[in-house]
Amino acid sequence: MTLENLFKIKQLKQEPPDQKEFDGFVRSARVKLQDAKLVGLSEESQFSLVYIAAHTLALAALRWHGYRSENRYTVFQCLPHTVGLENAKWRVLDKCHHQRNLAEYEGHLEITPQLMAEFVAVTEELLGLVSNMEPLP
């Protein structure tokens, strides 16, 4: 579905983009991603920081296009449309979103070192894609 189609079915709301908000999202995501690499963090803390960074970047990209969503999954789902993220990489974020929900709502986190490494790599790529978006008018 395109962003316009998601808007038509009320999965997205239109809202004018704001450069200051966008820049704040990117800055915050960059800090979270850096903090996730600190030595001595638990797996849960590292995962949470990367998840917050990924979501914040996905939201920044969506806001750049003039939309907002109250649904975390939808924000991730829009990444192929907002920054051209490949489906295979989107699926990593989808899996991590599912793992985040299990941790938050059922109290356990099951993430392999390989998935964590992929999660960090996709989030770092997302940071690059979002950071390189043109300044807003």
Side-chain angles (χ1 to χ4, degrees):
M1 271 195 178
T2 65
L3 298 177
E4 185 62 30
N5 287 343
L6 288 168
F7 171 71
K8 286 178 184 176
I9 63 168
K10 301 184 191 279
Q11 292 296 307
L12 296 178
K13 298 175 183 178
Q14 286 185 324
E15 187 176 315
D18 177 273
Q19 186 69 51
K20 187 175 179 180
E21 177 189 50
F22 177 85
D23 293 343
F25 284 150
V26 173
R27 181 195 53 73
S28 176
R30 184 175 280 116
V31 169
K32 299 282 188 289
L33 197 51
Q34 288 172 347
D35 287 352
K37 296 175 184 176
L38 292 173
V39 175
L41 284 182
S42 68
E43 179 181 79
E44 289 84 5
S45 293
Q46 182 185 25
F47 179 84
S48 292
L49 287 165
V50 177
Y51 181 87
I52 292 167
H55 180 262
T56 301
L57 290 165
L59 181 57
L62 188 59
R63 293 291 301 119
W64 189 91
H65 286 276
Y67 294 97
R68 182 178 295 280
S69 176
E70 296 174 1
N71 184 305
R72 287 180 172 272
Y73 184 78
T74 301
V75 172
F76 286 127
Q77 185 180 30
C78 291
L79 285 167
H81 305 291
T82 57
V83 295
L85 192 69
E86 299 169 23
N87 284 338
K89 294 175 182 177
W90 144 243
R91 282 191 286 279
V92 171
L93 296 176
D94 178 45
K95 182 165 182 66
C96 290
H97 175 74
H98 178 70
Q99 292 299 326
R100 175 256 183 199
N101 283 350
L102 285 175
E104 187 152 323
Y105 302 117
E106 296 182 23
H108 64 91
L109 178 65
E110 294 179 18
I111 188 161
T112 65
Q114 179 183 347
L115 180 58
M116 190 66 208
E118 289 175 13
F119 190 25
V120 170
V122 169
T123 304
E124 287 175 339
E125 180 177 343
L126 188 54
L127 176 61
L129 291 168
V130 173
S131 294
N132 289 324
M133 294 176 90
E134 294 289 324
L136 290 162

